[in-house]
Amino acid sequence: MIKRIILLCLLLQIVMVKAQTQVTNLTTEGLTNPLGIDNLQPHFSWQLIAKQRNTMQLAYEIKVAESETGFNKDLLWTTGKVISDQSIHIPYNGKPLEAGKRYYWQVRIWDNKGKLTTWSNVAYWQMGLLKENDWQAQWISPGYEEENDRPSPLLRKEFKINKKVKSATAYITAHGLYEAQINGKKIGDKYFTPGWTSYKKRLQYQVYDVSDMFTNGNNAIGVMLGSGWYRGYFSLGNFKDIYGSDISLLFQLNITYTDGSTETIISDGSWKSSTGAVRSSNIYAGEVIDARLEKLGWATPEFNDKDWSGVKVQSFPKNILIGTYNESVTRHEKFIPKKIFTTPKGEQIIDFGQNLVGWVTLKVKGEAGQKITISHAEVLDKEGNFYTENLRIAKAQDVYILKGGKQEIFEPHFTWHGFRYVKLEGFSGELKPEDFEACALYSNMEKTGSFTTSNELINQLQHNIEWGLKGNFLDVPTDCPQRDERLGWTGDAQVFFRTASFLRGVNNFFVKWMKDLAADQFPDGSVTHVVPNVLADFERGSSGWGDAATIIPWNMYLAYGDKRILETQYQSMKNWVNYIQSQSKNNLWKQGRHFGDWLFYNVQDDLFGDSAITNKYLIAQCFYAHSVQLLINAAEVLGKTDDVKAYNLLLQEIKDAFLKEYTTANGATVSDTQTSYVLALHFDMLPEKLRQQAADRLAANIRRYDTHLTTGFLGTPYLCHVLSRFNYTDLAFELLLQKTYPSWLYPVTKDATTIWERWDGIKPDGSFENSDMNSFNHYAYGAIGDWMYRVVAGIDIEGDGIGYKKIRIHPHIGGDFNYVSADYKTPYGKLSSNWKINGNRLNLKTEIPPNTVAYINIPTSSLEGITESGKNLSAIKEIEIVEKKENIVIVKAGSGIYEFSIPYTVKK
């Protein structure tokens, strides 16, 4: 009997522990256990797991220690009990942090159920090198004279270890790209490091824990370098060596032994240099590897380097070195051939079934000197032949020269390609699927969103949007990944940011990129078209492109709730607005080179005025007002009251000038296009009394084009949002589901697996648009994903609840959808909205993360018949009925899973 009672008590205790709130997912600077932090006040965040509904944090306590077991001894910092519901972006405020040192932290919270949680699991972060003199390493370059094709240098250093290693940290950066090894094993899982930044002002270094990579006795470090973004032919036009002609390494290895002693191995004049199998490597051209020249074991201590050259010690600056916070490029999905075939021209082709960015790994056996060329393409032409004209001058070829004998495995090191198809030349024998594998490479950001519906074409569209992000978020947000471009176009990035924030955790990715935008911004405040800037000086200052300086920081603040992005970028935002003001006369921005509504619907031989041309200066005026409004928003958050007052006055003058210059007395815009009305309405350029008539004109325009959109890059992101705002959601659904050109689904009907640059990249007759500008992986039009998440699924921020502290669930039922399901990982945890029509009932299921509150908009005009988890809504004590509108009942609920069943009549 006593045993039964004890067992029952234990089981009850286990159940109670599981039911209690728990603290989980601790992050430092938004990263899990990061290395190389150089912020002296890193920010801490965590999430809660709670079984009970309406769980909120009331207080927290953080402890920071210098060892994993040091929490019961002398602490480096403790907050004590802090009365606050804040669980994200809490700054460290303890004793000064030291370079290279690892720190450990825990947190516990008090919830509104009267419970104190147990301490969380221990998390850690490690500081980077904080001052210039923390770098003992010297910059080194190869000591030999480089050949014209610039074979990738190999740099090596041997050293001895006669003690047991406790910990070891490697700090590495380069002019160019690097791949580093210790004793023949790759350091880390990153590619294309140190990444691409505004190299002359900001150069990242990476930090690696290499504690377990050494042997007792002789050891070796080997580093191979590639030109990458730093040098060689890159950018639009015949630009070469934009950042420099050298290729160089900075390497520092700090070792701590178990006896407490330390040692530092650095790049210096004692290193050796040579070349190996990689004979040339260029982002656009591809890579040439001659396996006959491979130096086997060159990164191991057994290798004989007596014939190698020395190195040159360089005096390049170290005061521009910065830690890496954005997630580096890593390997991801693998694809096996979907089809192997011969084209009408006799070309040997492999179809991997997905337009992806990365490379092909090849297994081959052949004769010494045999040359195999792999060419890459996104599409086939209408006859079924390999098509590469849209790559322009990018060769996009990898060439492998065999050593001969045993089976050999080839893949590039310092280049990548955008492709679905590859062409094989020089390959003898049968092409076997098992000998080829395509590997996707992109920045390793956490997947945060998913969106599925009952419509398979829409599901494919969502797939294409996701793969557009994957292919173009390769260390910077590029416009396209395949042709001789691959640049960080500001306009593309700003229109897609909000969608990107649903799909992936892009905060650190864009923090880094926005700092480069500010670094490359001109003294007059103008913003370059691409970031980092590799175009000529005159390439700057376009509306909708330069406005990335204001649009992205504000939307980052909304999505992630971190005020630091506004603090960091505020001067850049202000400089951009002041630049526009300096270019304006009578508050009208009517000069400068602007891209306008890029790639809008354009009819060739336009005899009847069907092309949707929107006045570029009308567009510029709208974005001028929008940037001023966002600057005002940021100034309010940061408490800059003088700026708020001054720019509010300016904003009214800009809007008054817009009305006078670009609208009639009855509210028609001078261009009378979809984009003109969309921008005027979305940016509130019109007075309240003229807005609905403008929306009516927009709807009429859409009907005039037989329910097709005609917008380009700048109008498309806001089109459906404006329609929904002004009671035309049904029309927005019709646009979304339109299958013929121009529409979002037209490329889907043409077997697209990514978003196209043009609405008709492949025309209905199978021919192509102009090859000079016709990418088939170009994410800008994927901005419709934002509307699908925020309106169709209904996941959004409520009011001032930045970072999803306050949530709005407001699904819109329409189109031919029977169900829509969307999940999103907010900074506080999983948020979901799933709706399904089931006969004469609408089922709405939503999950709200702990420590947040949600306002759920139930699509019905009456409380009658609404149930939640099988009970009458009015009987659910955790739910507060806030407001009843004409067709909406708004309820307030805290964390938990809610399942509503609502009377519903299907629209006919």
Side-chain angles (χ1 to χ4, degrees), residues 572-644:
S572 170
M573 297 171 75
K574 188 173 179 177
N575 290 347
W576 169 243
V577 167
N578 290 346
Y579 166 76
I580 303 174
Q581 190 175 13
S582 73
Q583 298 297 300
S584 301
K585 185 177 181 180
N586 298 323
N587 296 304
L588 287 170
W589 190 11
K590 296 192 69 174
Q591 65 174 343
R593 180 187 177 198
H594 299 274
F595 293 111
D597 194 27
W598 190 248
L599 300 183
F600 59 88
Y601 176 68
N602 187 17
V603 181
Q604 292 181 356
D605 194 21
D606 190 357
L607 299 177
F608 300 100
D610 290 328
S611 295
I613 302 171
T614 307
N615 184 295
K616 290 184 178 182
Y617 295 124
L618 180 154
I619 293 172
Q621 192 74 3
C622 290
F623 276 94
Y624 182 12
H626 188 47
S627 277
V628 172
Q629 180 64 70
L630 297 183
L631 181 62
I632 293 167
N633 295 351
E636 288 175 338
V637 172
L638 300 177
K640 299 179 181 293
T641 54
D642 289 345
D643 281 357
V644 171

Side-chain angles (χ1 to χ4, degrees), residues 7-24:
L7 181 60
L8 185 61
C9 289
L10 287 172
L11 289 173
L12 184 61
Q13 187 177 7
I14 291 170
V15 170
M16 288 178 66
V17 169
K18 287 186 176 180
Q20 287 181 350
T21 305
Q22 296 174 280
V23 182
T24 187

Side-chain angles (χ1 to χ4, degrees), residues 643-662:
D643 281 357
V644 171
K645 182 178 179 180
Y647 287 106
N648 264 317
L649 291 173
L650 175 62
L651 180 61
Q652 189 56 56
E653 292 171 348
I654 294 167
K655 291 184 177 181
D656 290 344
F658 174 85
L659 286 174
K660 185 178 179 180
E661 186 77 8
Y662 296 113

Side-chain angles (χ1 to χ4, degrees), residues 111-331:
D111 67 21
N112 60 336
K113 309 299 181 183
K115 300 293 184 182
L116 169 63
T117 68
T118 58
W119 285 103
S120 68
N121 291 334
V122 176
Y124 67 83
W125 82 95
Q126 185 168 319
M127 299 301 290
L129 302 181
L130 305 178
K131 302 186 295 295
E132 189 174 351
N133 60 13
D134 289 334
W135 286 94
Q136 299 176 45
Q138 297 175 300
W139 280 104
I140 59 171
S141 300
Y144 56 83
E145 185 174 342
E146 285 196 276
E147 300 173 29
N148 289 336
D149 288 340
R150 291 176 164 172
S152 285
L154 306 179
L155 304 172
R156 71 185 307 271
K157 163 77 175 180
E158 287 196 27
F159 59 100
K160 287 187 176 182
I161 288 180
N162 296 317
K163 300 179 182 180
K164 188 173 182 181
V165 173
K166 179 183 178 182
S167 64
T169 304
Y171 304 85
I172 316 174
T173 191
H175 286 176
L177 305 178
Y178 70 83
E179 279 189 8
Q181 302 178 48
I182 291 178
N183 295 331
K185 295 181 180 179
K186 179 177 167 64
I187 298 176
D189 62 352
K190 300 172 172 51
Y191 291 85
F192 310 132
T193 46
W196 188 18
T197 51
S198 179
Y199 285 137
K200 293 182 179 179
K201 298 176 182 177
R202 290 165 33 83
L203 175 60
Q204 294 183 142
Y205 64 89
Q206 284 73 46
V207 181
Y208 305 90
D209 185 338
V210 294
S211 304
D212 60 353
M213 298 189 72
F214 303 100
T215 60
N216 192 43
N218 292 331
N219 290 265
I221 300 165
V223 182
M224 179 166 60
L225 302 179
S227 295
W229 296 283
Y230 186 83
R231 69 173 193 174
Y233 288 101
F234 188 68
S235 177
L236 298 176
N238 197 32
F239 292 104
K240 183 181 180 182
D241 296 347
I242 293 171
Y243 297 103
S245 60
D246 72 287
I247 191 164
S248 305
L249 171 70
L250 189 67
F251 184 103
Q252 182 161 315
L253 174 64
N254 290 352
I255 303 173
T256 300
Y257 297 105
T258 54
D259 65 3
S261 62
T262 62
E263 184 177 5
T264 302
I265 309 296
I266 63 171
S267 52
D268 59 16
S270 67
W271 286 52
K272 294 289 194 72
S273 65
S274 186
T275 61
V278 180
R279 306 315 297 166
S280 67
S281 185
N282 178 270
I283 290 174
Y284 297 154
E287 198 158 290
V288 176
I289 297 179
D290 188 341
R292 298 171 301 179
L293 301 177
E294 181 181 10
K295 291 180 168 60
L296 286 174
W298 67 274
T300 63
E302 295 81 16
F303 185 78
N304 184 351
D305 62 8
K306 67 180 180 64
D307 294 327
W308 283 38
S309 302
V311 295
K312 299 174 186 175
V313 175
Q314 307 279 17
S315 58
F316 300 126
K318 301 175 188 174
N319 61 352
I320 61 171
L321 298 176
I322 55 173
T324 301
Y325 293 76
N326 60 297
E327 296 82 356
S328 297
V329 175
T330 56
R331 290 176 179 259

